[in-house]
Amino acid sequence: MISYRYEKEQQIALYLAEALCDAEALSILRAGVVENSQQALHLAQFFWRAVDELVKCSESNTEICGETNLQEWSELLMATFRSYLRNNGYTEEWDKASDDA
């Protein structure tokens, strides 16, 4: 299971998946598990798209799930997703998405 340090992390991730109309990421996040390499890559790519969205929201002072310190939340999400993917054998997928971001 994807283990979030704070419940708010998951809420923000779900919010961003919905805001970005990313049904695959939403499905992965709701299930809390990655089942294969394709899903691992998708989750990693979603994270980097989510970072872009968080930057836009931060620049426009948009509140997400009651939070305005969005850089902190992007860092927490990065640690959560990176750790989960690497611990479950998907280091290559994380690295590929990070290199392409």
Side-chain angles (χ1 to χ4, degrees):
M1 291 291 290
I2 298 172
S3 179
Y4 298 93
R5 187 169 178 192
Y6 302 99
E7 183 180 331
K8 182 75 68 155
E9 276 182 88
Q10 183 178 25
Q11 292 171 4
I12 291 171
L14 290 167
Y15 171 89
L16 291 166
E18 289 178 6
L20 295 170
C21 300
D22 191 332
E24 179 71 14
L26 199 54
S27 176
I28 294 166
L29 294 170
R30 286 183 176 153
V33 295
V34 166
E35 295 181 5
N36 56 50
S37 177
Q38 181 182 7
Q39 283 190 343
L41 182 59
H42 190 90
L43 181 63
Q45 290 169 333
F46 160 74
F47 167 75
W48 291 108
R49 287 191 308 275
V51 167
D52 291 341
E53 186 66 19
L54 287 169
V55 168
K56 288 178 195 173
C57 291
S58 183
E59 289 173 350
S60 66
N61 295 317
T62 302
E63 189 175 285
I64 295 179
C65 300
E67 299 295 330
T68 55
N69 186 1
L70 302 177
Q71 181 176 349
E72 178 182 354
W73 290 104
S74 68
E75 292 169 6
L76 288 166
L77 284 169
M78 178 180 192
T80 295
F81 292 150
R82 181 181 58 201
S83 175
Y84 173 79
L85 291 172
R86 287 184 171 176
N87 289 337
N88 287 279
Y90 298 113
T91 300
E92 288 182 29
E93 289 80 357
W94 175 263
D95 291 345
K96 178 177 179 5
S98 298
D99 290 345
D100 293 345

